[in-house]
Amino acid sequence: MFFVFLDDKRLDEWVSIERFLKKEEADEYLNENQETSTTATVTTQDLRSKSGSGAAVAGGGKTERTLTRTMRRKFEESHQMGGNRRPFDDPLVEQLELEHEAATKVKNIQKIEIGRYEIDCWYYSPFPDAYATAEKLYICENCLKYMRFPKTLINHQKHCTAETKRHGKLIYKKNNLAVYELDGEIDKLFCQNLCLIAKLFLDHKTLYYDVSPFYFYLLCEIDDEGTHPVGYFSKEKNSPDDYNLACIMTLPPHQRKGYGRFLIQLSYEITKREGKTGSPEKPLSDLGLVSYRSFWTLELLQKLKSSRPASLSITGLVEMTAFKREDIIDTLARINLLTIWRGEPALNYTPKAVDEHLKSFAGKKFTICDPKALKWPQK
Ligand code: ACO
Ligand code: ZN
């Protein structure tokens, strides 16, 4: 088997030799190599899974080293959810970082089954070793526990029902949608499982096992058969950078139904109620960026449309939306509704220009997060 890296990493996959060679050539190759051929595997040891004991196994399990407390802190800092890769001054930490990057390049879990969906995974996720080699994982929709065999899931589900084990506080319910708020400190295992699943579809974020500094907002669809998770976002309880969203993910079968926009809107509704302004944690993925740009653009256009031009300022937009000033400036500059006046950015638009831009959203159906249905905060 070979692991093929493609331009779009989501399409990376394990392929057999037959996919590269003509049939006769492939037969010949397989005959010749039958005795000696081995499956090329990459050890996907995750350093952080061992770091609790202060020891890390790196380099495909060949080297064992003890990390000093400072090295571990540096390593962990760089691997917090959304942590950017930073240069290290310590060569050993740098080497561990490179080894970790190499080990996590290759997608380990190929598929998951959750509810009525079988989903192709996109990226590596640090599931424990015993699960990381499974072709497919079976996930309980209720507690997000992952299993290797369908039978185990069936047995598990007999005792794990939505009625008895639903996690978190119900903070939103309207039509067929519900949102649960989970505290990483309280529902630790559930939130860790959620992160592991989310990482299967997130490339640029690294997973951090300490979920306690985060809240998680789980979006579920409700139907006659029960409550089905479709997406989520996480949020730091205290963000020194005013991030109001750390990670966002919609499960692929539910993407492009407006749930990403719904979750982004929800994150800003919460920020408004906190009396703050906020922005998503950087860097954004390609899909994260299109989703945010689309959301910011439409929200701002609607505010411009409903106000008299002279009555509005960038500061007014910040107050109305809870968006960060720089996100407003960047969004409006992209659609040429901004000018520089006395060295400062200022709004510069006509109702006609706003209508023109709004046309590009005409006919789209949005899944709106109704602020009246949001019961937040809750005691
Ligand atoms: N190609 C082009 N545009 C897209 C695509 C796509 N594949 N997917 C979404 N969009 C656009 C939509 O057209 C929509 O814009 P519009 O309203 O102008 O039509 C906008 O993005 C939002 O679409 P939604 O349906 O509301 O979003 P969705 O439920 O698909 O979720 C999300 C978006 C969460 C980014 C999803 O694509 C996802 O989970 N991706 C994988 C994980 C990821 O990359 N998360 C973001 C990381 S950044 C961070 O966490 C801070
Ligand atoms: Zn369960």
Side-chain angles (χ1 to χ4, degrees):
M1 295 285 276
F2 296 85
F3 194 76
V4 178
F5 295 94
L6 297 164
D7 278 352
D8 181 348
K9 213 176 157 197
R10 286 177 275 260
L11 303 174
D12 286 357
E13 61 174 335
W14 286 101
V15 298
S16 61
I17 185 75
E18 293 94 319
R19 293 264 298 274
F20 290 109
L21 303 175
K22 287 188 199 142
K23 188 171 179 322
E24 315 83 71
E25 288 170 343
D27 287 345
E28 197 179 323
Y29 175 91
L30 288 172
N31 280 337
E32 275 175 16
N33 291 277
Q34 213 160 29
E35 300 279 300
T36 51
S37 78
T38 50
T39 304
T41 52
V42 175
T43 310
T44 51
Q45 286 273 20
D46 186 75
L47 290 167
R48 281 141 302 133
S49 61
K50 310 271 182 194
S51 64
S53 63
V57 179
K62 288 199 186 84
T63 330
E64 189 152 330
R65 303 182 183 104
T66 306
L67 293 181
T68 65
R69 200 177 276 220
T70 320
M71 280 154 57
R72 214 175 85 207
R73 182 181 51 73
K74 283 184 191 169
F75 183 83
E76 289 186 350
E77 272 176 6
S78 81
H79 284 83
Q80 288 182 18
M81 284 179 177
N84 285 332
R85 170 106 159 69
R86 287 175 223 156
F88 294 102
D89 43 19
D90 187 320
L92 179 54
V93 177
E94 179 75 36
Q95 194 189 335
L96 287 172
E97 173 70 15
L98 291 172
E99 287 169 358
H100 176 75
E101 265 184 21
T104 58
K105 231 182 199 167
V106 175
K107 178 163 58 186
N108 47 349
I109 314 286
Q110 304 304 309
K111 290 175 198 295
I112 54 168
E113 191 174 301
I114 178 163
R116 65 179 86 102
Y117 296 96
E118 182 184 87
I119 307 174
D120 287 328
C121 303
W122 295 356
Y123 306 116
Y124 167 88
S125 181
F127 280 88
D129 284 351
Y131 298 84
T133 49
E135 179 71 8
K136 182 163 148 187
L137 290 180
Y138 298 83
I139 292 166
C140 170
E141 275 196 306
N142 191 40
C143 67
L144 301 187
K145 213 171 162 180
Y146 43 89
M147 286 150 257
R148 281 179 300 168
F149 306 104
K151 242 183 173 175
T152 326
L153 178 64
I154 292 166
N155 284 335
H156 167 89
Q157 281 171 328
K158 286 180 192 153
H159 311 285
C160 183
T161 62
E163 289 69 36
T164 54
K165 296 267 178 60
R166 174 55 57 200
H167 296 262
K169 291 177 188 163
L170 178 64
I171 59 159
Y172 182 97
K173 185 157 185 311
K174 188 168 178 187
N175 302 327
N176 68 331
L177 293 181
V179 179
Y180 293 86
E181 181 186 61
L182 297 113
D183 183 331
E185 182 141 29
I186 297 168
D187 281 304
K188 206 173 191 136
L189 193 60
F190 184 97
C191 296
Q192 282 177 341
N193 290 346
L194 182 57
C195 289
L196 280 171
I197 296 164
K199 179 64 193 71
L200 293 166
F201 307 102
L202 279 156
D203 189 24
H204 66 305
K205 300 272 180 185
T206 17
L207 207 71
Y208 195 53
Y209 278 95
D210 187 6
V211 287
S212 43
F214 295 87
Y215 288 116
F216 293 81
Y217 296 88
L218 183 73
L219 175 63
C220 298
E221 278 182 357
I222 304 167
D223 62 20
D224 296 342
E225 284 165 32
T227 307
H228 316 283
V230 293
Y232 90 107
F233 74 87
S234 57
K235 173 186 160 83
E236 268 178 291
K237 290 176 184 171
N238 296 302
S239 169
D241 302 302
D242 282 349
Y243 291 141
N244 66 347
L245 180 147
C247 275
I248 180 169
M249 189 273 305
T250 306
L251 284 170
H254 302 284
Q255 286 178 5
R256 309 211 68 172
K257 288 161 70 176
Y259 290 158
R261 170 180 284 273
F262 176 101
L263 289 166
I264 293 170
Q265 192 197 341
L266 173 62
S267 71
Y268 279 107
E269 287 301 334
I270 291 175
T271 306
K272 275 185 211 166
R273 290 185 193 191
E274 290 173 329
K276 295 181 182 170
T277 56
S279 189
E281 193 175 288
K282 313 299 178 306
L284 295 172
S285 67
D286 52 354
L287 290 170
L289 191 61
V290 282
S291 302
Y292 265 96
R293 284 215 176 125
S294 162
F295 174 77
W296 286 327
T297 305
L298 181 60
E299 288 292 301
L300 292 173
L301 286 171
Q302 285 172 339
K303 296 289 181 261
L304 296 181
K305 169 99 182 148
S306 59
S307 316
R308 279 181 296 112
S311 67
L312 209 52
S313 63
I314 296 177
T315 306
L317 286 173
V318 171
E319 284 162 10
M320 289 160 108
T321 58
F323 298 174
K324 281 270 160 206
R325 193 179 181 80
E326 54 268 28
D327 294 332
I328 294 178
I329 291 171
D330 181 68
T331 306
L332 293 180
R334 280 175 188 284
I335 51 174
N336 287 322
L337 300 184
L338 215 64
T339 188
I340 301 294
W341 193 69
R342 294 188 176 168
E344 289 293 321
L347 300 181
N348 178 28
Y349 67 97
T350 60
K352 195 168 166 240
V354 171
D355 285 340
E356 274 305 309
H357 286 297
L358 278 170
K359 276 186 193 160
S360 60
F361 292 92
K364 287 190 181 171
K365 276 177 70 183
F366 297 110
T367 312
I368 303 292
C369 170
D370 180 358
K372 290 198 205 83
L374 175 63
K375 307 285 177 247
W376 193 95
Q378 280 183 21
K379 295 235 165 80

PDB file of all heavy atoms in Angstrom, residues 192-213:
ATOM      1  N   GLN A 192     -13.677  15.522  24.962  1.00  0.00           N
ATOM      2  CA  GLN A 192     -12.463  14.974  24.340  1.00  0.00           C
ATOM      3  C   GLN A 192     -12.837  14.160  23.102  1.00  0.00           C
ATOM      4  O   GLN A 192     -12.181  14.235  22.066  1.00  0.00           O
ATOM      5  CB  GLN A 192     -11.709  14.088  25.335  1.00  0.00           C
ATOM      6  CG  GLN A 192     -10.915  14.907  26.332  1.00  0.00           C
ATOM      7  CD  GLN A 192     -10.219  14.052  27.381  1.00  0.00           C
ATOM      8  OE1 GLN A 192     -10.581  12.893  27.589  1.00  0.00           O
ATOM      9  NE2 GLN A 192      -9.246  14.616  28.054  1.00  0.00           N
ATOM     10  N   ASN A 193     -13.895  13.369  23.223  1.00  0.00           N
ATOM     11  CA  ASN A 193     -14.345  12.581  22.067  1.00  0.00           C
ATOM     12  C   ASN A 193     -14.761  13.492  20.918  1.00  0.00           C
ATOM     13  O   ASN A 193     -14.434  13.239  19.754  1.00  0.00           O
ATOM     14  CB  ASN A 193     -15.521  11.677  22.454  1.00  0.00           C
ATOM     15  CG  ASN A 193     -15.085  10.554  23.373  1.00  0.00           C
ATOM     16  OD1 ASN A 193     -13.894  10.292  23.520  1.00  0.00           O
ATOM     17  ND2 ASN A 193     -16.044   9.895  24.012  1.00  0.00           N
ATOM     18  N   LEU A 194     -15.448  14.570  21.275  1.00  0.00           N
ATOM     19  CA  LEU A 194     -15.877  15.533  20.256  1.00  0.00           C
ATOM     20  C   LEU A 194     -14.655  16.119  19.534  1.00  0.00           C
ATOM     21  O   LEU A 194     -14.634  16.227  18.302  1.00  0.00           O
ATOM     22  CB  LEU A 194     -16.708  16.633  20.930  1.00  0.00           C
ATOM     23  CG  LEU A 194     -17.297  17.720  20.029  1.00  0.00           C
ATOM     24  CD1 LEU A 194     -18.170  17.130  18.934  1.00  0.00           C
ATOM     25  CD2 LEU A 194     -18.115  18.707  20.861  1.00  0.00           C
ATOM     26  N   CYS A 195     -13.620  16.460  20.295  1.00  0.00           N
ATOM     27  CA  CYS A 195     -12.403  17.017  19.689  1.00  0.00           C
ATOM     28  C   CYS A 195     -11.723  16.005  18.771  1.00  0.00           C
ATOM     29  O   CYS A 195     -11.248  16.354  17.684  1.00  0.00           O
ATOM     30  CB  CYS A 195     -11.405  17.438  20.761  1.00  0.00           C
ATOM     31  SG  CYS A 195     -11.916  18.884  21.654  1.00  0.00           S
ATOM     32  N   LEU A 196     -11.673  14.752  19.224  1.00  0.00           N
ATOM     33  CA  LEU A 196     -11.034  13.717  18.393  1.00  0.00           C
ATOM     34  C   LEU A 196     -11.779  13.562  17.072  1.00  0.00           C
ATOM     35  O   LEU A 196     -11.172  13.418  16.006  1.00  0.00           O
ATOM     36  CB  LEU A 196     -11.025  12.376  19.132  1.00  0.00           C
ATOM     37  CG  LEU A 196      -9.945  12.199  20.185  1.00  0.00           C
ATOM     38  CD1 LEU A 196     -10.181  10.933  20.997  1.00  0.00           C
ATOM     39  CD2 LEU A 196      -8.552  12.155  19.542  1.00  0.00           C
ATOM     40  N   ILE A 197     -13.102  13.584  17.145  1.00  0.00           N
ATOM     41  CA  ILE A 197     -13.907  13.445  15.922  1.00  0.00           C
ATOM     42  C   ILE A 197     -13.725  14.681  15.034  1.00  0.00           C
ATOM     43  O   ILE A 197     -13.514  14.578  13.829  1.00  0.00           O
ATOM     44  CB  ILE A 197     -15.397  13.227  16.283  1.00  0.00           C
ATOM     45  CG1 ILE A 197     -15.557  11.903  17.023  1.00  0.00           C
ATOM     46  CG2 ILE A 197     -16.284  13.258  15.034  1.00  0.00           C
ATOM     47  CD1 ILE A 197     -16.888  11.742  17.758  1.00  0.00           C
ATOM     48  N   ALA A 198     -13.753  15.864  15.660  1.00  0.00           N
ATOM     49  CA  ALA A 198     -13.614  17.102  14.885  1.00  0.00           C
ATOM     50  C   ALA A 198     -12.273  17.152  14.161  1.00  0.00           C
ATOM     51  O   ALA A 198     -12.188  17.591  13.012  1.00  0.00           O
ATOM     52  CB  ALA A 198     -13.755  18.309  15.805  1.00  0.00           C
ATOM     53  N   LYS A 199     -11.222  16.646  14.834  1.00  0.00           N
ATOM     54  CA  LYS A 199      -9.882  16.707  14.237  1.00  0.00           C
ATOM     55  C   LYS A 199      -9.820  15.918  12.925  1.00  0.00           C
ATOM     56  O   LYS A 199      -9.008  16.210  12.039  1.00  0.00           O
ATOM     57  CB  LYS A 199      -8.839  16.199  15.251  1.00  0.00           C
ATOM     58  CG  LYS A 199      -7.402  16.182  14.748  1.00  0.00           C
ATOM     59  CD  LYS A 199      -6.871  17.566  14.424  1.00  0.00           C
ATOM     60  CE  LYS A 199      -5.574  17.524  13.650  1.00  0.00           C
ATOM     61  NZ  LYS A 199      -5.726  17.059  12.269  1.00  0.00           N
ATOM     62  N   LEU A 200     -10.696  14.930  12.770  1.00  0.00           N
ATOM     63  CA  LEU A 200     -10.738  14.156  11.517  1.00  0.00           C
ATOM     64  C   LEU A 200     -11.058  15.052  10.316  1.00  0.00           C
ATOM     65  O   LEU A 200     -10.832  14.672   9.171  1.00  0.00           O
ATOM     66  CB  LEU A 200     -11.788  13.043  11.614  1.00  0.00           C
ATOM     67  CG  LEU A 200     -11.510  11.922  12.613  1.00  0.00           C
ATOM     68  CD1 LEU A 200     -12.759  11.089  12.847  1.00  0.00           C
ATOM     69  CD2 LEU A 200     -10.359  11.051  12.124  1.00  0.00           C
ATOM     70  N   PHE A 201     -11.605  16.252  10.589  1.00  0.00           N
ATOM     71  CA  PHE A 201     -11.998  17.150   9.503  1.00  0.00           C
ATOM     72  C   PHE A 201     -11.309  18.513   9.593  1.00  0.00           C
ATOM     73  O   PHE A 201     -11.633  19.426   8.857  1.00  0.00           O
ATOM     74  CB  PHE A 201     -13.540  17.314   9.509  1.00  0.00           C
ATOM     75  CG  PHE A 201     -14.217  15.975   9.485  1.00  0.00           C
ATOM     76  CD1 PHE A 201     -14.751  15.429  10.646  1.00  0.00           C
ATOM     77  CD2 PHE A 201     -14.244  15.222   8.323  1.00  0.00           C
ATOM     78  CE1 PHE A 201     -15.322  14.164  10.647  1.00  0.00           C
ATOM     79  CE2 PHE A 201     -14.810  13.962   8.308  1.00  0.00           C
ATOM     80  CZ  PHE A 201     -15.349  13.421   9.470  1.00  0.00           C
ATOM     81  N   LEU A 202     -10.385  18.616  10.530  1.00  0.00           N
ATOM     82  CA  LEU A 202      -9.649  19.872  10.716  1.00  0.00           C
ATOM     83  C   LEU A 202      -8.174  19.602  10.511  1.00  0.00           C
ATOM     84  O   LEU A 202      -7.610  18.779  11.218  1.00  0.00           O
ATOM     85  CB  LEU A 202      -9.833  20.374  12.142  1.00  0.00           C
ATOM     86  CG  LEU A 202     -11.118  21.119  12.476  1.00  0.00           C
ATOM     87  CD1 LEU A 202     -11.410  21.014  13.959  1.00  0.00           C
ATOM     88  CD2 LEU A 202     -10.976  22.585  12.076  1.00  0.00           C
ATOM     89  N   ASP A 203      -7.562  20.331   9.589  1.00  0.00           N
ATOM     90  CA  ASP A 203      -6.160  20.057   9.306  1.00  0.00           C
ATOM     91  C   ASP A 203      -5.221  20.897  10.145  1.00  0.00           C
ATOM     92  O   ASP A 203      -4.239  20.423  10.674  1.00  0.00           O
ATOM     93  CB  ASP A 203      -5.891  20.344   7.829  1.00  0.00           C
ATOM     94  CG  ASP A 203      -4.521  19.864   7.418  1.00  0.00           C
ATOM     95  OD1 ASP A 203      -3.998  18.950   8.089  1.00  0.00           O
ATOM     96  OD2 ASP A 203      -3.981  20.375   6.438  1.00  0.00           O
ATOM     97  N   HIS A 204      -5.558  22.168  10.258  1.00  0.00           N
ATOM     98  CA  HIS A 204      -4.570  23.097  10.799  1.00  0.00           C
ATOM     99  C   HIS A 204      -4.643  23.251  12.312  1.00  0.00           C
ATOM    100  O   HIS A 204      -3.877  23.994  12.885  1.00  0.00           O
ATOM    101  CB  HIS A 204      -4.757  24.461  10.137  1.00  0.00           C
ATOM    102  CG  HIS A 204      -6.052  25.084  10.505  1.00  0.00           C
ATOM    103  ND1 HIS A 204      -7.240  24.435  10.314  1.00  0.00           N
ATOM    104  CD2 HIS A 204      -6.337  26.256  11.093  1.00  0.00           C
ATOM    105  CE1 HIS A 204      -8.207  25.204  10.755  1.00  0.00           C
ATOM    106  NE2 HIS A 204      -7.692  26.318  11.237  1.00  0.00           N
ATOM    107  N   LYS A 205      -5.580  22.549  12.938  1.00  0.00           N
ATOM    108  CA  LYS A 205      -5.665  22.658  14.393  1.00  0.00           C
ATOM    109  C   LYS A 205      -5.004  21.439  15.008  1.00  0.00           C
ATOM    110  O   LYS A 205      -5.123  20.342  14.475  1.00  0.00           O
ATOM    111  CB  LYS A 205      -7.128  22.674  14.829  1.00  0.00           C
ATOM    112  CG  LYS A 205      -7.913  23.829  14.253  1.00  0.00           C
ATOM    113  CD  LYS A 205      -7.803  25.030  15.142  1.00  0.00           C
ATOM    114  CE  LYS A 205      -8.590  26.181  14.558  1.00  0.00           C
ATOM    115  NZ  LYS A 205      -8.432  27.406  15.311  1.00  0.00           N
ATOM    116  N   THR A 206      -4.360  21.625  16.139  1.00  0.00           N
ATOM    117  CA  THR A 206      -3.828  20.463  16.837  1.00  0.00           C
ATOM    118  C   THR A 206      -4.628  20.265  18.113  1.00  0.00           C
ATOM    119  O   THR A 206      -5.140  21.211  18.681  1.00  0.00           O
ATOM    120  CB  THR A 206      -2.323  20.585  17.134  1.00  0.00           C
ATOM    121  OG1 THR A 206      -1.949  21.925  16.994  1.00  0.00           O
ATOM    122  CG2 THR A 206      -1.527  19.721  16.219  1.00  0.00           C
ATOM    123  N   LEU A 207      -4.689  19.028  18.478  1.00  0.00           N
ATOM    124  CA  LEU A 207      -5.591  18.687  19.564  1.00  0.00           C
ATOM    125  C   LEU A 207      -4.900  18.806  20.913  1.00  0.00           C
ATOM    126  O   LEU A 207      -3.764  18.426  21.069  1.00  0.00           O
ATOM    127  CB  LEU A 207      -6.038  17.254  19.356  1.00  0.00           C
ATOM    128  CG  LEU A 207      -7.379  16.921  19.942  1.00  0.00           C
ATOM    129  CD1 LEU A 207      -8.479  17.592  19.148  1.00  0.00           C
ATOM    130  CD2 LEU A 207      -7.561  15.429  19.914  1.00  0.00           C
ATOM    131  N   TYR A 208      -5.624  19.312  21.854  1.00  0.00           N
ATOM    132  CA  TYR A 208      -5.083  19.467  23.190  1.00  0.00           C
ATOM    133  C   TYR A 208      -6.008  18.708  24.120  1.00  0.00           C
ATOM    134  O   TYR A 208      -7.216  18.878  24.072  1.00  0.00           O
ATOM    135  CB  TYR A 208      -5.056  20.956  23.529  1.00  0.00           C
ATOM    136  CG  TYR A 208      -4.210  21.298  24.709  1.00  0.00           C
ATOM    137  CD1 TYR A 208      -2.887  20.893  24.769  1.00  0.00           C
ATOM    138  CD2 TYR A 208      -4.727  22.026  25.761  1.00  0.00           C
ATOM    139  CE1 TYR A 208      -2.111  21.209  25.861  1.00  0.00           C
ATOM    140  CE2 TYR A 208      -3.959  22.351  26.853  1.00  0.00           C
ATOM    141  CZ  TYR A 208      -2.647  21.939  26.893  1.00  0.00           C
ATOM    142  OH  TYR A 208      -1.875  22.248  27.974  1.00  0.00           O
ATOM    143  N   TYR A 209      -5.421  17.824  24.924  1.00  0.00           N
ATOM    144  CA  TYR A 209      -6.286  16.963  25.718  1.00  0.00           C
ATOM    145  C   TYR A 209      -6.975  17.669  26.867  1.00  0.00           C
ATOM    146  O   TYR A 209      -7.980  17.195  27.368  1.00  0.00           O
ATOM    147  CB  TYR A 209      -5.510  15.739  26.229  1.00  0.00           C
ATOM    148  CG  TYR A 209      -5.440  14.708  25.164  1.00  0.00           C
ATOM    149  CD1 TYR A 209      -4.353  14.626  24.323  1.00  0.00           C
ATOM    150  CD2 TYR A 209      -6.519  13.845  24.956  1.00  0.00           C
ATOM    151  CE1 TYR A 209      -4.317  13.708  23.303  1.00  0.00           C
ATOM    152  CE2 TYR A 209      -6.495  12.927  23.938  1.00  0.00           C
ATOM    153  CZ  TYR A 209      -5.382  12.860  23.115  1.00  0.00           C
ATOM    154  OH  TYR A 209      -5.360  11.950  22.100  1.00  0.00           O
ATOM    155  N   ASP A 210      -6.429  18.820  27.278  1.00  0.00           N
ATOM    156  CA  ASP A 210      -7.073  19.510  28.380  1.00  0.00           C
ATOM    157  C   ASP A 210      -8.233  20.333  27.833  1.00  0.00           C
ATOM    158  O   ASP A 210      -8.046  21.433  27.316  1.00  0.00           O
ATOM    159  CB  ASP A 210      -6.057  20.400  29.098  1.00  0.00           C
ATOM    160  CG  ASP A 210      -6.678  20.993  30.350  1.00  0.00           C
ATOM    161  OD1 ASP A 210      -7.823  20.607  30.674  1.00  0.00           O
ATOM    162  OD2 ASP A 210      -6.022  21.826  30.994  1.00  0.00           O
ATOM    163  N   VAL A 211      -9.417  19.778  27.944  1.00  0.00           N
ATOM    164  CA  VAL A 211     -10.590  20.472  27.397  1.00  0.00           C
ATOM    165  C   VAL A 211     -11.235  21.385  28.443  1.00  0.00           C
ATOM    166  O   VAL A 211     -12.154  22.134  28.118  1.00  0.00           O
ATOM    167  CB  VAL A 211     -11.649  19.469  26.860  1.00  0.00           C
ATOM    168  CG1 VAL A 211     -11.191  18.840  25.566  1.00  0.00           C
ATOM    169  CG2 VAL A 211     -12.007  18.414  27.900  1.00  0.00           C
ATOM    170  N   SER A 212     -10.742  21.320  29.680  1.00  0.00           N
ATOM    171  CA  SER A 212     -11.436  22.077  30.743  1.00  0.00           C
ATOM    172  C   SER A 212     -11.466  23.597  30.529  1.00  0.00           C
ATOM    173  O   SER A 212     -12.408  24.229  30.984  1.00  0.00           O
ATOM    174  CB  SER A 212     -10.910  21.704  32.126  1.00  0.00           C
ATOM    175  OG  SER A 212      -9.534  21.611  32.116  1.00  0.00           O
ATOM    176  N   PRO A 213     -10.494  24.217  29.823  1.00  0.00           N
ATOM    177  CA  PRO A 213     -10.630  25.676  29.639  1.00  0.00           C
ATOM    178  C   PRO A 213     -11.649  26.085  28.571  1.00  0.00           C
ATOM    179  O   PRO A 213     -11.732  27.254  28.228  1.00  0.00           O
ATOM    180  CB  PRO A 213      -9.225  26.115  29.206  1.00  0.00           C
ATOM    181  CG  PRO A 213      -8.335  24.949  29.376  1.00  0.00           C
ATOM    182  CD  PRO A 213      -9.191  23.736  29.335  1.00  0.00           C
TER     183      PRO A 213
END
